Amino acid sequence: MNIDISGIAKLYGTFLDVHFSEEIENLNYSEQKIEFTSPVNVSGIITNLGQIFIFEGSVHTSFKTICDRCLEEYQSDLDFNISEKFANEQQNNMDDINVFHGDTIDLKDAILSNIILNLPLRFVCSENCKGLCSVCGNNKNIKKCDCKEDNIDPRLEKLKSLFKIN
Ligand SMILES: [Zn+2]
Ligand SMILES: [Zn+2]
């Protein structure tokens, strides 16, 4: 993901089109294994803003992982926009600015951290996933079972016995 910016390095306001597609390694993200099923497609521009260069673009990839609820593997698309600033190592740099060396901007770390940022908070195969039966372990998306799942909060159970509401 190395981009040669020598063509725009000297002149303020000039920009460079960036388009590439590259395989990336699978991730282990808070105990979740993320397996990329398509290369990362990146499309955007890098603009010379004097002291800094800004990369703005869109990223598309897809991954498969295990559903938190039913434990089945599922696949999902991942699409997001990205905006990252870069400064040459000689410049004073602030926290939100990536550093580059010479005439080459390596987008890899910025893209990886944006991928992690854009992963869902919960990995579920579908919003309607019914998950597994807590009694027999059956996948309730596939078939029903007759188990009586006890979802009552134990604190409520205690109240119930106090007030004898059955
Ligand atoms: Zn599921
Ligand atoms: Zn069951």
Side-chain angles (χ1 to χ4, degrees):
M1 302 189 190
N2 286 323
I3 313 294
D4 176 5
I5 57 146
S6 55
I8 62 164
K10 299 277 185 291
L11 197 57
Y12 180 89
T14 50
F15 62 90
L16 184 70
D17 281 314
V18 175
H19 295 284
F20 63 88
S21 184
E22 211 170 297
E23 302 275 346
I24 56 165
E25 308 227 328
N26 297 332
L27 282 176
N28 277 307
Y29 167 70
S30 57
E31 318 233 324
Q32 191 85 12
K33 188 166 180 251
I34 309 291
E35 198 179 324
F36 292 98
T37 48
S38 68
V40 176
N41 283 296
V42 178
S43 158
I45 58 171
I46 296 178
T47 307
N48 178 339
L49 293 180
Q51 305 287 353
I52 60 164
F53 290 78
I54 187 160
F55 167 60
E56 287 173 305
S58 60
V59 177
H60 169 79
T61 187
S62 58
F63 65 89
K64 59 183 183 183
T65 192
I66 303 293
C67 172
D68 284 346
R69 286 186 204 153
C70 68
L71 307 182
E72 293 292 325
E73 193 173 70
Y74 72 100
Q75 179 155 314
S76 176
D77 285 336
L78 188 63
D79 292 284
F80 58 87
N81 293 322
I82 179 170
S83 172
E84 289 279 341
K85 300 185 193 103
F86 292 83
N88 197 287
E89 56 191 327
Q90 286 129 30
Q91 308 286 346
N92 247 354
N93 56 75
M94 290 177 281
D95 273 356
D96 63 334
I97 298 189
N98 305 279
V99 175
F100 70 94
H101 313 283
D103 278 338
T104 305
I105 289 183
D106 184 1
L107 293 176
K108 191 173 184 182
D109 287 349
I111 287 172
L112 274 179
S113 58
N114 276 269
I115 284 176
I116 290 169
L117 235 114
N118 283 279
L119 285 171
L121 291 174
R122 307 253 323 147
F123 295 94
V124 284
C125 62
S126 117
E127 281 304 310
N128 306 320
C129 175
K130 298 186 186 79
L132 302 178
C133 167
S134 62
V135 179
C136 72
N138 167 52
N139 182 342
K140 293 188 285 183
N141 298 313
I142 297 170
K143 65 179 168 74
K144 277 188 173 171
C145 54
D146 297 322
C147 305
K148 296 234 179 328
E149 280 189 89
D150 195 4
N151 288 325
I152 301 169
D153 187 315
R155 288 165 300 179
L156 284 181
E157 193 81 312
K158 202 171 175 189
L159 274 180
K160 224 164 84 176
S161 65
L162 277 176
F163 294 104
K164 301 206 184 338
I165 37 168
N166 270 310

